[in-house]
Amino acid sequence: MCEANAYLRNGDKEELILEAVDKVRPFDDGLLLEDIYGRRKFIRAKIKELALVDHKIILERE
Amino acid sequence: MCEANAYLRNGDKEELILEAVDKVRPFDDGLLLEDIYGRRKFIRAKIKELALVDHKIILERE
C-alpha cells in the first residue's frame, strides 16, 4: 500500500497527525485528510511538502 | 516504490504531467515536482487532490 503519514511541522519538530493517509483535499481553510480505512480528519493547515517515497506528507499551519 | 503520477485536471480531462513523482513543494506561484530520478518540473498549478493508493496527484490551474 502506498499511503503516507501526515505530520504537522512546527519549527524543527514534526507531530504525527494521521497515519496511512490515502486522500488529501485542500480547501480554503484547511485540508481534509482521509486514511485507508475511510477515517477523516480536517486540519487547519496547508501542504508544505510531499515526500512520497518516504511516505511523508508535511503540513504547516497557515 | 510509492511514487505517484501527477495529472493536470481540466474539466473532465486529465493530462499526465509527470510520472513517478516523489516530492512536491508548493510555492506561491506554483508547484515544484520532482520524480524519483531527481528530474524536476515546475508547473503553475495547485494541488486539487491526492489519491495515494491510486498513485495519483491531481493538479488544477490556479
Side-chain angles (χ1 to χ4, degrees):
Chain A
M1 295 289 278
C2 283
E3 69 279 5
N5 298 322
Y7 300 87
L8 184 65
R9 183 175 291 170
N10 186 357
D12 58 355
K13 288 184 291 192
E14 289 180 354
E15 175 194 355
L16 180 62
I17 298 295
L18 189 64
E19 291 182 291
V21 174
D22 173 18
K23 295 195 171 69
V24 179
R25 279 200 196 165
F27 289 88
D28 284 344
D29 54 347
L31 298 168
L32 182 62
L33 310 174
E34 184 176 322
D35 72 12
I36 57 172
Y37 309 106
R39 286 182 294 221
R40 293 179 172 188
K41 196 169 206 175
F42 189 85
I43 179 168
R44 291 183 185 277
K46 61 182 180 180
I47 294 170
K48 173 72 175 171
E49 185 179 354
L50 305 178
L52 299 178
V53 172
D54 290 338
H55 299 261
K56 290 182 90 169
I57 299 169
I58 307 296
L59 313 177
E60 64 176 2
R61 294 287 182 195
E62 298 199 70
Chain B
M1 295 289 279
C2 282
E3 70 279 4
N5 298 322
Y7 300 87
L8 184 63
R9 184 174 292 170
N10 186 359
D12 58 357
K13 288 185 291 190
E14 290 180 354
E15 174 193 356
L16 180 62
I17 299 294
L18 189 65
E19 290 182 291
V21 174
D22 172 19
K23 295 194 172 70
V24 179
R25 278 199 197 166
F27 289 87
D28 285 345
D29 54 348
L31 298 168
L32 182 62
L33 310 175
E34 184 176 323
D35 72 12
I36 58 172
Y37 310 105
R39 285 183 293 221
R40 292 178 171 189
K41 196 170 206 175
F42 189 86
I43 179 168
R44 290 184 185 277
K46 61 182 180 179
I47 295 170
K48 172 73 173 171
E49 185 179 354
L50 304 178
L52 299 178
V53 172
D54 291 337
H55 299 261
K56 291 183 90 169
I57 299 169
I58 307 295
L59 311 177
E60 63 176 2
R61 295 287 181 194
E62 298 199 70

